[in-house]
Amino acid sequence: MSPTRPGKGTFPRYRYLAAVSAEAVGGGMYVPVSLLYFHRVAGLPLGQVGGALTVAALVGLAVSPFFGALVDRLGARTVVALGFAVRAVGFVCYPFVHQWWQLLAAATLVAVGDRSFQASIQALISELAQGAERQRMIATQSSLRNAGFGVGGLLASLALAVDADWAYHAVVLGSGAGLALAAVLVAGLPSGRVPADAATAATAAGKAAGGYGAVLRDRPYLGLTLATVPLAFCYSSLSVILPVYTTQTLHASASLPGLLFTANTVLVALAQVPVNSWTSKWRRTRVAAMGGVVFAASFLGFAVLSALDGGVVLVSGLLLTTVLYTGGELLHSPSSGALSTDAAPDALRGRYLAVYYLSWSVAKAAAPALFTTLLAVSPNLTWLLLAGGVLIGSLAMLRLEPRLPAHAVRPAPEPGSAEAAGETAGTVSGAAASPTRRTRRS
């Protein structure tokens, strides 16, 4: 019998979801002031601010594999709490920044803590939930984080309406407070790791497997990671391509991109859990690929909108196409997250997820430069290339389906659920109806 993981139950999951909500509110507060804060309050030139934040992001990207190994050694709960705490310290340091090197030091803390988030948070979910419940938690987390970002952005807007230095400081410190609260909530979770003897065996098995070497030898998982790269670019298109395309190519109002982004955020917050309930019994590879197809359709829709003259028809078209884009996100996000988590072995899950989310980090870092370069050549070509890349990634994911672990592609029913009871009854009745099998066992 496999050892029972401690920390299961409803309360730890609610505590975890409260933690990610607090983190999202803090993050949402900071987004509207990320560049402006240091230019206005610290008096630094925008070029220095952008350079420092870029260097900090590259440092965070470089150290992200370290956190994968740390998850496997210390457990996801410790790494998640540590990442939140490090980011909180960085935000608390921001009001004391007056020179470029001080900004670089504080921003590096924030970037390093931020890079620990994806792999460790997915590993923590795997400790708190199993099977279909794991995907449900990912969907709930996505919904709550979108709502939290919206609340944080609203709080920041209200504070910045004052247009005073103390209001900017309040926003930054509020972001740090949200992260500190998240760190405390996660640190108070019961450990989801297996008991000591099993944990020791798992660690030994992980070392014997060769650490990151095992990940690099796992070709299906590397294939999944590479197939995800074009899909990861989709999540930057709404914030990077759409504002430029809407205002400069379509000549729409400068306020429209904010409206479209808000519509996307609200829809994800409201619809992610119901959509996941609808698709949770389907194969995750196919749901994720379906999300990619919907993404591609939305990109083609954005390209077609360039033929419209403007007015109400254009605004309606942009809203409808943004809703279509959101549909792709609703399908792809929880299914791909659960697929990448379940396809990783327990002993090396931290390392596996660190490699998987490296594709997301690279896409996020490369998107601004790549998209702005393509937009300068041709806006419609940008949308077409993005749609083509997404379709290739979706097709690759479908071709990988037979080579990925069966339990990752189609999760087992939750223990105690009607489906699980039905499977158990079917197994028992099948055994009872097979006298040959009983004879051989005897």
Side-chain angles (χ1 to χ4, degrees), residues 50-79:
L53 294 180
T54 298
V55 172
L58 291 174
V59 173
L61 191 63
V63 302
S64 57
F66 165 76
F67 289 104
L70 207 60
V71 167
D72 294 333
R73 182 177 295 273
L74 301 179
R77 180 192 63 174
T78 301
V79 178

Side-chain angles (χ1 to χ4, degrees), residues 142-234:
S142 176
S143 177
L144 289 175
R145 293 195 78 227
N146 274 272
F149 272 112
V151 171
L154 177 61
L155 291 175
S157 298
L158 293 175
L160 296 180
V162 179
D163 196 26
D165 286 356
W166 67 263
Y168 282 83
H169 288 313
V171 169
V172 169
L173 293 175
S175 299
L179 287 161
L181 175 59
V184 171
L185 289 171
V186 170
L189 287 171
S191 176
R193 304 196 77 191
V194 294
D197 55 343
T200 302
T203 302
K207 290 180 178 179
Y212 274 109
V215 188
L216 298 178
R217 290 190 295 271
D218 191 337
R219 292 187 178 182
Y221 199 88
L222 287 183
L224 176 64
T225 301
L226 292 175
T228 301
V229 171
L231 289 151
F233 273 103
C234 297

